[in-house]
Amino acid sequence: MFMLSNVKWSTIEDLRTKATFNVWHPKVEQASEFSLAQVWITSGSYENNTLNSIEAGWQVYPGLYMDSQPRLFLFWTTDAYTSPACYNLRCPGFVQTSRTVLVEGAITPASAIGGLQTELTIHIWKDPGRGPWWLGVGFSNGTNLSAIGYWPVEIFSNLTDHADDVQWGGEIVDNRALGRHTTTEMGSGYRPGSDRAAYVRDIQVAFRPREFHPVSQLIVGATNSSYYSVEKYSNGSFSYGGPHRGAALITPKLPLFPIHCKSPYQ
């Protein structure tokens, strides 16, 4: 089930969002499937293939990376995912400026049940006017955030001066290769309701530099809560995940847990 807020930010000169995810090592059954946690910033529509999306987070994708390690990844689309996938630095678009953070780099060790939590903080912001969309990344409880590169505004048709929506959450792909739902896990593989589940915390938005605020209304939802579920803790945090089997077919590149916010200035 999808719940949309469709917040329009066309009058905002400087949009920023950041959130912290704990990083896990979910089981991915088929090499062509993946499990991830990320931020989505979007504008446009699926109806006429004009959706533009900027996405970044961590991902386990054996078919792309040739292993099962959680890795820092980024993605974007300008036509509602109708063109071939444009991951990381594998096609023209994203411009990396950092020499210290490796896009596609493995994030190790992953979080441990009942133990140390490895965290990834994602910070995405828009320069005023027709400036680029920047990506900042931090590890170890959100410290040492640094810009690693940017998406030039010229590659987009709708994300040129504003975004319509921002989301945080998890996603899997199910190819039904064995005639049933995949056993691919989301997050830690555990449902919310215990400290073993994956979480997203410190969700914030800002419309001016250094003026971050918790979102005023965090709306959570899942495509099939019988198997994968989400639990809101506050307007700035939630947990999510699910066990090995179940749920209906999930279309690639649709967020399983779309988490939306409304402007705190509305």
Side-chain angles (χ1 to χ4, degrees):
M1 178 173 59
F2 295 93
M3 294 177 286
L4 304 178
S5 58
N6 294 323
V7 178
K8 204 74 171 178
W9 284 322
S10 58
T11 60
I12 304 301
E13 294 184 351
D14 189 352
L15 167 65
R16 297 166 182 256
T17 184
K18 65 179 178 179
T20 297
F21 304 78
N22 60 346
V23 181
W24 293 93
H25 196 284
K27 174 186 175 182
V28 175
E29 184 177 41
Q30 302 292 324
S32 57
E33 298 173 347
F34 62 67
S35 181
L36 60 75
Q38 67 173 36
V39 178
W40 292 261
I41 290 181
T42 62
S43 184
S45 172
Y46 281 102
E47 293 181 0
N48 52 11
N49 291 335
T50 62
L51 183 78
N52 290 190
S53 178
I54 287 173
E55 305 167 27
W58 65 263
Q59 179 182 49
V60 175
Y61 192 172
L64 185 64
Y65 307 118
M66 303 303 154
D67 64 23
S68 296
Q69 295 296 319
R71 294 181 177 273
L72 173 67
F73 89 100
L74 53 94
F75 184 93
W76 66 99
T77 182
T78 60
D79 57 9
Y81 308 103
T82 59
S83 295
C86 195
Y87 278 100
N88 306 320
L89 306 177
R90 297 179 181 237
C91 60
F94 185 81
V95 179
Q96 184 169 1
T97 58
S98 172
R99 296 185 178 182
T100 59
V101 176
L102 178 63
V103 176
E104 298 192 12
I107 304 173
T108 58
S111 298
I113 299 295
L116 180 67
Q117 300 299 290
T118 297
E119 295 186 322
L120 168 67
T121 297
I122 296 293
H123 180 189
I124 300 175
W125 70 97
K126 173 84 167 59
D127 275 353
R130 291 184 60 85
W133 290 90
W134 283 88
L135 172 63
V137 172
F139 299 94
S140 301
N141 298 316
T143 59
N144 301 320
L145 267 168
S146 60
I148 69 166
Y150 62 90
W151 290 271
V153 71
E154 291 78 13
I155 69 175
F156 298 110
S157 57
N158 285 302
L159 280 171
T160 54
D161 58 5
H162 76 278
D164 293 335
D165 200 55
V166 59
Q167 307 171 36
W168 309 265
E171 177 186 6
I172 69 162
V173 163
D174 174 19
N175 289 331
R176 299 190 67 88
L178 301 178
R180 55 158 173 77
H181 191 277
T182 181
T183 60
T184 291
E185 299 172 336
M186 175 175 288
S188 65
Y190 287 91
R191 291 175 176 272
S194 75
D195 58 6
R196 298 180 293 181
Y199 61 76
V200 185
R201 66 173 182 85
D202 293 343
I203 299 170
Q204 299 181 67
V205 293
F207 303 110
R208 297 176 181 86
R210 297 178 296 279
E211 290 189 10
F212 279 99
H213 301 268
V215 298
S216 60
Q217 183 178 354
L218 185 67
I219 305 171
V220 300
T223 55
N224 193 324
S225 58
S226 296
Y227 302 99
Y228 299 94
S229 51
V230 58
E231 180 178 327
K232 177 179 172 179
Y233 295 148
S234 69
N235 277 330
S237 62
F238 63 92
S239 64
Y240 68 96
H244 302 294
R245 292 182 181 274
L249 175 65
I250 298 168
T251 305
K253 296 315 301 169
L254 287 180
L256 184 61
F257 296 120
I259 315 300
H260 305 267
C261 79
K262 291 186 177 180
S263 164
Y265 299 104
Q266 289 188 319

